[in-house]
Amino acid sequence: MSVVLVHGAGMGSSCWDRLVPFLDGPAVAVDLPGRGRRGDVDLRGVTLGDCAQAILDDIEAAGLDDEIVLVAHSFAGVSVPRVMPVLAPRLRSVVFLSAVVPPDGTRVLDQIDPGVREAVRASIGDGIYHQDRVAVEAMLCNDMDASQTAWTAEQVVDDSAALLEEPVDLSGLTAPVARTYIRLTDDHCYTPDLQERSAALVGGDVAHLDSGHMPMVSIPEQLADLLNKIAGRRATTDSTADGRTKGM
């Protein structure tokens, strides 16, 4: 069993570094275009389709020959559904970790909390979404100590503003794959009410963690324990007609 980790906006694969040692099996942390291993890509031209392809490419490059648990954090909630139909035969489960999943065909920017939305708009310039230290601490670090906050701020990178404006395609959620939405009770970035709406769109199981938006930093052992438990379950064959899993 392998775990594939897909980061959210303004992050790269390094955001998972404190979690990976606690996972039971091999882990692949994806770098979406414009950061980390794909830092040579111009952010201004990145699309959600490019993000989906990066996920598929990293899985292929890793040579994974077993089942996969695919984890989508935050903004990855709009790119991971695009790969679910392709990977369905290999997916044991898909985990949506406080994932942004707006209604199909809408824009992410229109669906986030109004206070966060204004902060995001203020952080956009020349096609780039840039988070400053004040915004990072307010949205991502409310439950962290000083050391965790400093480390998180160091991981933040610029991102593509166009991704916030591109209409999302969530047709992949109809794939007959088990899924769990992890709701974070102290999240100041993607608030609990928005998580509730997203979880309803995702379907499947719901779990809760007492955490802010970055549990892979603030409570990595607890998050890993939950992911390990999900990875240990066999995906049920009892699913509804639209592919949403009734149970695990």
mmCIF file of all heavy atoms in Angstrom, residues 25-78:
data_model
loop_
_atom_site.group_PDB
_atom_site.id
_atom_site.type_symbol
_atom_site.label_atom_id
_atom_site.label_comp_id
_atom_site.label_asym_id
_atom_site.label_seq_id
_atom_site.Cartn_x
_atom_site.Cartn_y
_atom_site.Cartn_z
ATOM 1 N N GLY A 25 3.400 2.900 5.196
ATOM 2 C CA GLY A 25 3.949 2.418 3.936
ATOM 3 C C GLY A 25 4.672 3.490 3.162
ATOM 4 O O GLY A 25 4.847 4.617 3.647
ATOM 5 N N PRO A 26 5.098 3.164 1.953
ATOM 6 C CA PRO A 26 5.780 4.154 1.107
ATOM 7 C C PRO A 26 4.868 5.336 0.803
ATOM 8 O O PRO A 26 3.647 5.191 0.704
ATOM 9 C CB PRO A 26 6.095 3.360 -0.168
ATOM 10 C CG PRO A 26 5.969 1.926 0.200
ATOM 11 C CD PRO A 26 4.961 1.861 1.291
ATOM 12 N N ALA A 27 5.481 6.506 0.651
ATOM 13 C CA ALA A 27 4.716 7.715 0.348
ATOM 14 C C ALA A 27 5.362 8.453 -0.813
ATOM 15 O O ALA A 27 6.588 8.522 -0.929
ATOM 16 C CB ALA A 27 4.638 8.623 1.571
ATOM 17 N N VAL A 28 4.524 9.007 -1.675
ATOM 18 C CA VAL A 28 4.960 9.858 -2.772
ATOM 19 C C VAL A 28 4.296 11.217 -2.576
ATOM 20 O O VAL A 28 3.067 11.307 -2.541
ATOM 21 C CB VAL A 28 4.557 9.280 -4.142
ATOM 22 C CG1 VAL A 28 4.897 10.262 -5.258
ATOM 23 C CG2 VAL A 28 5.238 7.941 -4.381
ATOM 24 N N ALA A 29 5.100 12.259 -2.418
ATOM 25 C CA ALA A 29 4.574 13.616 -2.277
ATOM 26 C C ALA A 29 4.736 14.332 -3.607
ATOM 27 O O ALA A 29 5.848 14.518 -4.096
ATOM 28 C CB ALA A 29 5.308 14.357 -1.160
ATOM 29 N N VAL A 30 3.636 14.726 -4.181
ATOM 30 C CA VAL A 30 3.618 15.347 -5.511
ATOM 31 C C VAL A 30 4.010 16.819 -5.417
ATOM 32 O O VAL A 30 3.630 17.516 -4.469
ATOM 33 C CB VAL A 30 2.213 15.224 -6.126
ATOM 34 C CG1 VAL A 30 2.107 15.986 -7.435
ATOM 35 C CG2 VAL A 30 1.846 13.748 -6.315
ATOM 36 N N ASP A 31 4.770 17.289 -6.397
ATOM 37 C CA ASP A 31 4.981 18.720 -6.613
ATOM 38 C C ASP A 31 4.133 19.129 -7.808
ATOM 39 O O ASP A 31 4.371 18.670 -8.936
ATOM 40 C CB ASP A 31 6.452 19.030 -6.921
ATOM 41 C CG ASP A 31 7.261 19.338 -5.675
ATOM 42 O OD1 ASP A 31 6.773 20.103 -4.822
ATOM 43 O OD2 ASP A 31 8.389 18.819 -5.576
ATOM 44 N N LEU A 32 3.150 19.986 -7.588
ATOM 45 C CA LEU A 32 2.360 20.493 -8.702
ATOM 46 C C LEU A 32 3.183 21.509 -9.494
ATOM 47 O O LEU A 32 4.197 22.014 -9.004
ATOM 48 C CB LEU A 32 1.068 21.103 -8.188
ATOM 49 C CG LEU A 32 0.118 20.113 -7.495
ATOM 50 C CD1 LEU A 32 -1.145 20.820 -7.025
ATOM 51 C CD2 LEU A 32 -0.234 18.936 -8.410
ATOM 52 N N PRO A 33 2.796 21.817 -10.725
ATOM 53 C CA PRO A 33 3.608 22.702 -11.577
ATOM 54 C C PRO A 33 3.880 24.063 -10.944
ATOM 55 O O PRO A 33 3.006 24.675 -10.344
ATOM 56 C CB PRO A 33 2.735 22.854 -12.833
ATOM 57 C CG PRO A 33 1.924 21.604 -12.885
ATOM 58 C CD PRO A 33 1.624 21.280 -11.451
ATOM 59 N N GLY A 34 5.162 24.485 -11.053
ATOM 60 C CA GLY A 34 5.549 25.809 -10.583
ATOM 61 C C GLY A 34 6.252 25.837 -9.259
ATOM 62 O O GLY A 34 6.612 26.906 -8.763
ATOM 63 N N ARG A 35 6.484 24.665 -8.663
ATOM 64 C CA ARG A 35 7.208 24.623 -7.392
ATOM 65 C C ARG A 35 7.978 23.309 -7.272
ATOM 66 O O ARG A 35 7.723 22.360 -8.004
ATOM 67 C CB ARG A 35 6.281 24.824 -6.198
ATOM 68 C CG ARG A 35 5.431 23.673 -5.720
ATOM 69 C CD ARG A 35 4.251 23.231 -6.542
ATOM 70 N NE ARG A 35 3.438 24.231 -7.159
ATOM 71 C CZ ARG A 35 2.416 24.855 -6.569
ATOM 72 N NH1 ARG A 35 2.091 24.599 -5.327
ATOM 73 N NH2 ARG A 35 1.693 25.716 -7.250
ATOM 74 N N GLY A 36 8.965 23.293 -6.370
ATOM 75 C CA GLY A 36 9.741 22.084 -6.133
ATOM 76 C C GLY A 36 10.384 21.550 -7.396
ATOM 77 O O GLY A 36 11.049 22.273 -8.137
ATOM 78 N N ARG A 37 10.170 20.273 -7.669
ATOM 79 C CA ARG A 37 10.767 19.625 -8.843
ATOM 80 C C ARG A 37 10.255 20.200 -10.158
ATOM 81 O O ARG A 37 10.863 19.965 -11.212
ATOM 82 C CB ARG A 37 10.486 18.113 -8.789
ATOM 83 C CG ARG A 37 11.086 17.403 -7.593
ATOM 84 C CD ARG A 37 10.831 15.905 -7.638
ATOM 85 N NE ARG A 37 9.415 15.578 -7.649
ATOM 86 C CZ ARG A 37 8.665 15.466 -6.552
ATOM 87 N NH1 ARG A 37 9.182 15.706 -5.354
ATOM 88 N NH2 ARG A 37 7.394 15.137 -6.642
ATOM 89 N N ARG A 38 9.144 20.919 -10.090
ATOM 90 C CA ARG A 38 8.588 21.536 -11.299
ATOM 91 C C ARG A 38 8.679 23.058 -11.217
ATOM 92 O O ARG A 38 7.850 23.787 -11.763
ATOM 93 C CB ARG A 38 7.136 21.088 -11.491
ATOM 94 C CG ARG A 38 7.008 19.593 -11.790
ATOM 95 C CD ARG A 38 5.570 19.197 -12.089
ATOM 96 N NE ARG A 38 5.513 17.827 -12.587
ATOM 97 C CZ ARG A 38 5.366 16.749 -11.809
ATOM 98 N NH1 ARG A 38 5.236 16.903 -10.495
ATOM 99 N NH2 ARG A 38 5.348 15.533 -12.341
ATOM 100 N N GLY A 39 9.696 23.529 -10.547
ATOM 101 C CA GLY A 39 9.860 24.962 -10.333
ATOM 102 C C GLY A 39 10.182 25.750 -11.585
ATOM 103 O O GLY A 39 10.114 26.982 -11.564
ATOM 104 N N ASP A 40 10.512 25.069 -12.666
ATOM 105 C CA ASP A 40 10.837 25.782 -13.905
ATOM 106 C C ASP A 40 9.591 26.128 -14.717
ATOM 107 O O ASP A 40 9.679 26.819 -15.734
ATOM 108 C CB ASP A 40 11.785 24.943 -14.766
ATOM 109 C CG ASP A 40 11.201 23.586 -15.139
ATOM 110 O OD1 ASP A 40 10.327 23.087 -14.390
ATOM 111 O OD2 ASP A 40 11.609 23.022 -16.169
ATOM 112 N N VAL A 41 8.422 25.693 -14.271
ATOM 113 C CA VAL A 41 7.179 25.954 -14.994
ATOM 114 C C VAL A 41 6.660 27.348 -14.638
ATOM 115 O O VAL A 41 6.595 27.719 -13.467
ATOM 116 C CB VAL A 41 6.116 24.893 -14.641
ATOM 117 C CG1 VAL A 41 4.783 25.224 -15.313
ATOM 118 C CG2 VAL A 41 6.596 23.503 -15.043
ATOM 119 N N ASP A 42 6.274 28.115 -15.648
ATOM 120 C CA ASP A 42 5.727 29.451 -15.426
ATOM 121 C C ASP A 42 4.342 29.330 -14.803
ATOM 122 O O ASP A 42 3.414 28.785 -15.405
ATOM 123 C CB ASP A 42 5.637 30.196 -16.754
ATOM 124 C CG ASP A 42 5.176 31.649 -16.590
ATOM 125 O OD1 ASP A 42 4.798 32.040 -15.473
ATOM 126 O OD2 ASP A 42 5.211 32.387 -17.603
ATOM 127 N N LEU A 43 4.188 29.845 -13.594
ATOM 128 C CA LEU A 43 2.929 29.730 -12.866
ATOM 129 C C LEU A 43 1.758 30.339 -13.622
ATOM 130 O O LEU A 43 0.617 29.883 -13.490
ATOM 131 C CB LEU A 43 3.049 30.406 -11.502
ATOM 132 C CG LEU A 43 3.854 29.664 -10.435
ATOM 133 C CD1 LEU A 43 4.109 30.570 -9.243
ATOM 134 C CD2 LEU A 43 3.107 28.409 -10.005
ATOM 135 N N ARG A 44 2.020 31.375 -14.388
ATOM 136 C CA ARG A 44 0.932 32.097 -15.054
ATOM 137 C C ARG A 44 0.196 31.237 -16.081
ATOM 138 O O ARG A 44 -0.949 31.550 -16.438
ATOM 139 C CB ARG A 44 1.471 33.366 -15.722
ATOM 140 C CG ARG A 44 2.039 34.383 -14.735
ATOM 141 C CD ARG A 44 2.865 35.444 -15.442
ATOM 142 N NE ARG A 44 3.488 36.375 -14.512
ATOM 143 C CZ ARG A 44 4.616 36.139 -13.841
ATOM 144 N NH1 ARG A 44 5.229 34.976 -14.000
ATOM 145 N NH2 ARG A 44 5.111 37.036 -13.023
ATOM 146 N N GLY A 45 0.820 30.176 -16.541
ATOM 147 C CA GLY A 45 0.182 29.337 -17.555
ATOM 148 C C GLY A 45 -0.347 28.020 -17.036
ATOM 149 O O GLY A 45 -0.827 27.192 -17.818
ATOM 150 N N VAL A 46 -0.297 27.818 -15.724
ATOM 151 C CA VAL A 46 -0.696 26.526 -15.153
ATOM 152 C C VAL A 46 -2.220 26.394 -15.127
ATOM 153 O O VAL A 46 -2.940 27.323 -14.756
ATOM 154 C CB VAL A 46 -0.128 26.369 -13.732
ATOM 155 C CG1 VAL A 46 -0.641 25.085 -13.089
ATOM 156 C CG2 VAL A 46 1.398 26.371 -13.768
ATOM 157 N N THR A 47 -2.716 25.214 -15.514
ATOM 158 C CA THR A 47 -4.142 24.917 -15.482
ATOM 159 C C THR A 47 -4.409 23.754 -14.526
ATOM 160 O O THR A 47 -3.480 23.037 -14.113
ATOM 161 C CB THR A 47 -4.660 24.533 -16.872
ATOM 162 O OG1 THR A 47 -4.073 23.272 -17.253
ATOM 163 C CG2 THR A 47 -4.294 25.593 -17.910
ATOM 164 N N LEU A 48 -5.680 23.548 -14.200
ATOM 165 C CA LEU A 48 -6.030 22.407 -13.363
ATOM 166 C C LEU A 48 -5.719 21.095 -14.077
ATOM 167 O O LEU A 48 -5.369 20.100 -13.442
ATOM 168 C CB LEU A 48 -7.507 22.470 -12.978
ATOM 169 C CG LEU A 48 -7.883 23.605 -12.021
ATOM 170 C CD1 LEU A 48 -9.393 23.667 -11.818
ATOM 171 C CD2 LEU A 48 -7.181 23.443 -10.677
ATOM 172 N N GLY A 49 -5.815 21.094 -15.400
ATOM 173 C CA GLY A 49 -5.420 19.915 -16.160
ATOM 174 C C GLY A 49 -3.944 19.611 -16.005
ATOM 175 O O GLY A 49 -3.541 18.443 -15.910
ATOM 176 N N ASP A 50 -3.114 20.649 -15.957
ATOM 177 C CA ASP A 50 -1.679 20.460 -15.730
ATOM 178 C C ASP A 50 -1.426 19.846 -14.353
ATOM 179 O O ASP A 50 -0.539 18.991 -14.195
ATOM 180 C CB ASP A 50 -0.940 21.790 -15.828
ATOM 181 C CG ASP A 50 -0.996 22.406 -17.216
ATOM 182 O OD1 ASP A 50 -1.091 21.647 -18.199
ATOM 183 O OD2 ASP A 50 -0.950 23.649 -17.303
ATOM 184 N N CYS A 51 -2.178 20.295 -13.370
ATOM 185 C CA CYS A 51 -2.022 19.761 -12.014
ATOM 186 C C CYS A 51 -2.380 18.275 -11.981
ATOM 187 O O CYS A 51 -1.672 17.464 -11.369
ATOM 188 C CB CYS A 51 -2.899 20.540 -11.038
ATOM 189 S SG CYS A 51 -2.416 22.265 -10.810
ATOM 190 N N ALA A 52 -3.473 17.916 -12.640
ATOM 191 C CA ALA A 52 -3.869 16.512 -12.694
ATOM 192 C C ALA A 52 -2.801 15.668 -13.381
ATOM 193 O O ALA A 52 -2.467 14.564 -12.930
ATOM 194 C CB ALA A 52 -5.204 16.378 -13.418
ATOM 195 N N GLN A 53 -2.231 16.167 -14.461
ATOM 196 C CA GLN A 53 -1.204 15.416 -15.172
ATOM 197 C C GLN A 53 0.036 15.231 -14.312
ATOM 198 O O GLN A 53 0.683 14.178 -14.352
ATOM 199 C CB GLN A 53 -0.842 16.124 -16.478
ATOM 200 C CG GLN A 53 0.048 15.288 -17.388
ATOM 201 C CD GLN A 53 -0.595 13.985 -17.796
ATOM 202 O OE1 GLN A 53 -1.723 13.967 -18.283
ATOM 203 N NE2 GLN A 53 0.106 12.873 -17.591
ATOM 204 N N ALA A 54 0.384 16.246 -13.519
ATOM 205 C CA ALA A 54 1.543 16.121 -12.630
ATOM 206 C C ALA A 54 1.338 14.995 -11.616
ATOM 207 O O ALA A 54 2.279 14.256 -11.294
ATOM 208 C CB ALA A 54 1.785 17.443 -11.908
ATOM 209 N N ILE A 55 0.118 14.846 -11.122
ATOM 210 C CA ILE A 55 -0.177 13.759 -10.185
ATOM 211 C C ILE A 55 0.037 12.416 -10.866
ATOM 212 O O ILE A 55 0.718 11.522 -10.328
ATOM 213 C CB ILE A 55 -1.620 13.873 -9.663
ATOM 214 C CG1 ILE A 55 -1.808 15.173 -8.878
ATOM 215 C CG2 ILE A 55 -1.979 12.668 -8.793
ATOM 216 C CD1 ILE A 55 -3.258 15.496 -8.549
ATOM 217 N N LEU A 56 -0.511 12.259 -12.054
ATOM 218 C CA LEU A 56 -0.359 10.998 -12.786
ATOM 219 C C LEU A 56 1.094 10.724 -13.123
ATOM 220 O O LEU A 56 1.573 9.587 -13.001
ATOM 221 C CB LEU A 56 -1.205 11.037 -14.061
ATOM 222 C CG LEU A 56 -2.719 11.131 -13.869
ATOM 223 C CD1 LEU A 56 -3.412 11.315 -15.215
ATOM 224 C CD2 LEU A 56 -3.244 9.898 -13.154
ATOM 225 N N ASP A 57 1.828 11.760 -13.528
ATOM 226 C CA ASP A 57 3.233 11.582 -13.897
ATOM 227 C C ASP A 57 4.070 11.144 -12.699
ATOM 228 O O ASP A 57 4.954 10.286 -12.826
ATOM 229 C CB ASP A 57 3.797 12.879 -14.474
ATOM 230 C CG ASP A 57 3.251 13.204 -15.856
ATOM 231 O OD1 ASP A 57 2.632 12.313 -16.471
ATOM 232 O OD2 ASP A 57 3.440 14.348 -16.313
ATOM 233 N N ASP A 58 3.813 11.729 -11.530
ATOM 234 C CA ASP A 58 4.609 11.368 -10.348
ATOM 235 C C ASP A 58 4.302 9.953 -9.883
ATOM 236 O O ASP A 58 5.193 9.238 -9.403
ATOM 237 C CB ASP A 58 4.358 12.364 -9.216
ATOM 238 C CG ASP A 58 5.196 13.622 -9.358
ATOM 239 O OD1 ASP A 58 5.921 13.747 -10.372
ATOM 240 O OD2 ASP A 58 5.156 14.487 -8.453
ATOM 241 N N ILE A 59 3.056 9.531 -10.019
ATOM 242 C CA ILE A 59 2.709 8.152 -9.663
ATOM 243 C C ILE A 59 3.403 7.180 -10.608
ATOM 244 O O ILE A 59 3.976 6.167 -10.182
ATOM 245 C CB ILE A 59 1.182 7.965 -9.695
ATOM 246 C CG1 ILE A 59 0.537 8.735 -8.536
ATOM 247 C CG2 ILE A 59 0.812 6.487 -9.625
ATOM 248 C CD1 ILE A 59 -0.971 8.759 -8.565
ATOM 249 N N GLU A 60 3.393 7.495 -11.893
ATOM 250 C CA GLU A 60 4.069 6.629 -12.862
ATOM 251 C C GLU A 60 5.572 6.611 -12.631
ATOM 252 O O GLU A 60 6.211 5.543 -12.658
ATOM 253 C CB GLU A 60 3.775 7.097 -14.282
ATOM 254 C CG GLU A 60 4.429 6.227 -15.347
ATOM 255 C CD GLU A 60 4.087 6.668 -16.761
ATOM 256 O OE1 GLU A 60 3.337 7.647 -16.921
ATOM 257 O OE2 GLU A 60 4.587 6.032 -17.711
ATOM 258 N N ALA A 61 6.159 7.779 -12.365
ATOM 259 C CA ALA A 61 7.603 7.854 -12.162
ATOM 260 C C ALA A 61 8.039 7.092 -10.919
ATOM 261 O O ALA A 61 9.156 6.567 -10.865
ATOM 262 C CB ALA A 61 8.037 9.321 -12.042
ATOM 263 N N ALA A 62 7.176 7.023 -9.925
ATOM 264 C CA ALA A 62 7.515 6.318 -8.686
ATOM 265 C C ALA A 62 7.470 4.807 -8.858
ATOM 266 O O ALA A 62 7.957 4.071 -7.998
ATOM 267 C CB ALA A 62 6.573 6.746 -7.561
ATOM 268 N N GLY A 63 6.886 4.352 -9.950
ATOM 269 C CA GLY A 63 6.821 2.919 -10.208
ATOM 270 C C GLY A 63 5.995 2.157 -9.197
ATOM 271 O O GLY A 63 6.300 1.003 -8.887
ATOM 272 N N LEU A 64 4.945 2.765 -8.700
ATOM 273 C CA LEU A 64 4.103 2.109 -7.698
ATOM 274 C C LEU A 64 3.387 0.924 -8.321
ATOM 275 O O LEU A 64 2.744 1.038 -9.358
ATOM 276 C CB LEU A 64 3.080 3.106 -7.142
ATOM 277 C CG LEU A 64 3.654 4.395 -6.533
ATOM 278 C CD1 LEU A 64 2.527 5.264 -5.988
ATOM 279 C CD2 LEU A 64 4.654 4.080 -5.436
ATOM 280 N N ASP A 65 3.510 -0.236 -7.683
ATOM 281 C CA ASP A 65 2.889 -1.442 -8.231
ATOM 282 C C ASP A 65 1.867 -2.037 -7.282
ATOM 283 O O ASP A 65 1.480 -3.196 -7.407
ATOM 284 C CB ASP A 65 3.961 -2.481 -8.581
ATOM 285 C CG ASP A 65 4.834 -2.864 -7.389
ATOM 286 O OD1 ASP A 65 4.576 -2.366 -6.267
ATOM 287 O OD2 ASP A 65 5.772 -3.658 -7.578
ATOM 288 N N ASP A 66 1.434 -1.239 -6.298
ATOM 289 C CA ASP A 66 0.428 -1.729 -5.365
ATOM 290 C C ASP A 66 -0.748 -0.763 -5.337
ATOM 291 O O ASP A 66 -0.832 0.172 -6.125
ATOM 292 C CB ASP A 66 1.030 -1.888 -3.964
ATOM 293 C CG ASP A 66 1.712 -0.616 -3.461
ATOM 294 O OD1 ASP A 66 1.707 0.391 -4.190
ATOM 295 O OD2 ASP A 66 2.246 -0.631 -2.334
ATOM 296 N N GLU A 67 -1.677 -0.995 -4.418
ATOM 297 C CA GLU A 67 -2.820 -0.107 -4.298
ATOM 298 C C GLU A 67 -2.392 1.244 -3.726
ATOM 299 O O GLU A 67 -1.355 1.364 -3.072
ATOM 300 C CB GLU A 67 -3.884 -0.739 -3.398
ATOM 301 C CG GLU A 67 -4.610 -1.910 -4.039
ATOM 302 C CD GLU A 67 -5.705 -2.436 -3.135
ATOM 303 O OE1 GLU A 67 -5.393 -2.801 -1.987
ATOM 304 O OE2 GLU A 67 -6.866 -2.462 -3.573
ATOM 305 N N ILE A 68 -3.227 2.247 -3.963
ATOM 306 C CA ILE A 68 -2.891 3.622 -3.595
ATOM 307 C C ILE A 68 -3.990 4.228 -2.732
ATOM 308 O O ILE A 68 -5.183 4.041 -3.000
ATOM 309 C CB ILE A 68 -2.718 4.490 -4.860
ATOM 310 C CG1 ILE A 68 -1.535 4.017 -5.697
ATOM 311 C CG2 ILE A 68 -2.561 5.970 -4.498
ATOM 312 C CD1 ILE A 68 -1.488 4.646 -7.079
ATOM 313 N N VAL A 69 -3.566 4.942 -1.700
ATOM 314 C CA VAL A 69 -4.445 5.877 -1.010
ATOM 315 C C VAL A 69 -4.021 7.268 -1.460
ATOM 316 O O VAL A 69 -2.867 7.656 -1.285
ATOM 317 C CB VAL A 69 -4.342 5.754 0.523
ATOM 318 C CG1 VAL A 69 -5.114 6.884 1.209
ATOM 319 C CG2 VAL A 69 -4.872 4.408 0.984
ATOM 320 N N LEU A 70 -4.917 7.988 -2.072
ATOM 321 C CA LEU A 70 -4.633 9.304 -2.637
ATOM 322 C C LEU A 70 -5.187 10.371 -1.705
ATOM 323 O O LEU A 70 -6.378 10.369 -1.388
ATOM 324 C CB LEU A 70 -5.269 9.407 -4.018
ATOM 325 C CG LEU A 70 -5.065 10.674 -4.831
ATOM 326 C CD1 LEU A 70 -3.582 10.936 -5.084
ATOM 327 C CD2 LEU A 70 -5.814 10.566 -6.165
ATOM 328 N N VAL A 71 -4.321 11.280 -1.250
ATOM 329 C CA VAL A 71 -4.706 12.297 -0.266
ATOM 330 C C VAL A 71 -4.675 13.673 -0.921
ATOM 331 O O VAL A 71 -3.646 14.098 -1.460
ATOM 332 C CB VAL A 71 -3.767 12.283 0.949
ATOM 333 C CG1 VAL A 71 -4.203 13.322 1.981
ATOM 334 C CG2 VAL A 71 -3.731 10.894 1.586
ATOM 335 N N ALA A 72 -5.809 14.383 -0.870
ATOM 336 C CA ALA A 72 -5.934 15.720 -1.457
ATOM 337 C C ALA A 72 -6.119 16.731 -0.340
ATOM 338 O O ALA A 72 -7.147 16.729 0.350
ATOM 339 C CB ALA A 72 -7.124 15.770 -2.404
ATOM 340 N N HIS A 73 -5.129 17.600 -0.147
ATOM 341 C CA HIS A 73 -5.249 18.632 0.881
ATOM 342 C C HIS A 73 -5.688 19.951 0.262
ATOM 343 O O HIS A 73 -5.162 20.383 -0.767
ATOM 344 C CB HIS A 73 -3.903 18.843 1.591
ATOM 345 C CG HIS A 73 -3.934 19.937 2.612
ATOM 346 N ND1 HIS A 73 -3.121 21.042 2.555
ATOM 347 C CD2 HIS A 73 -4.697 20.097 3.725
ATOM 348 C CE1 HIS A 73 -3.371 21.834 3.587
ATOM 349 N NE2 HIS A 73 -4.333 21.287 4.304
ATOM 350 N N SER A 74 -6.663 20.591 0.877
ATOM 351 C CA SER A 74 -7.048 21.952 0.539
ATOM 352 C C SER A 74 -7.369 22.086 -0.953
ATOM 353 O O SER A 74 -8.267 21.431 -1.477
ATOM 354 C CB SER A 74 -5.931 22.904 0.977
ATOM 355 O OG SER A 74 -6.336 24.250 0.926
ATOM 356 N N PHE A 75 -6.619 22.926 -1.664
ATOM 357 C CA PHE A 75 -6.906 23.217 -3.071
ATOM 358 C C PHE A 75 -6.788 21.989 -3.966
ATOM 359 O O PHE A 75 -7.330 21.978 -5.078
ATOM 360 C CB PHE A 75 -5.968 24.319 -3.566
ATOM 361 C CG PHE A 75 -6.383 24.939 -4.863
ATOM 362 C CD1 PHE A 75 -7.375 25.914 -4.900
ATOM 363 C CD2 PHE A 75 -5.799 24.552 -6.053
ATOM 364 C CE1 PHE A 75 -7.772 26.482 -6.113
ATOM 365 C CE2 PHE A 75 -6.195 25.120 -7.263
ATOM 366 C CZ PHE A 75 -7.179 26.083 -7.291
ATOM 367 N N ALA A 76 -6.108 20.946 -3.513
ATOM 368 C CA ALA A 76 -6.011 19.720 -4.307
ATOM 369 C C ALA A 76 -7.360 19.057 -4.491
ATOM 370 O O ALA A 76 -7.506 18.156 -5.331
ATOM 371 C CB ALA A 76 -5.037 18.738 -3.662
ATOM 372 N N GLY A 77 -8.367 19.524 -3.743
ATOM 373 C CA GLY A 77 -9.704 18.986 -3.908
ATOM 374 C C GLY A 77 -10.305 19.228 -5.278
ATOM 375 O O GLY A 77 -11.294 18.579 -5.648
ATOM 376 N N VAL A 78 -9.724 20.143 -6.063
ATOM 377 C CA VAL A 78 -10.247 20.385 -7.410
ATOM 378 C C VAL A 78 -9.373 19.782 -8.508
ATOM 379 O O VAL A 78 -9.754 19.810 -9.677
ATOM 380 C CB VAL A 78 -10.463 21.893 -7.676
ATOM 381 C CG1 VAL A 78 -11.535 22.433 -6.764
ATOM 382 C CG2 VAL A 78 -9.181 22.688 -7.516
#
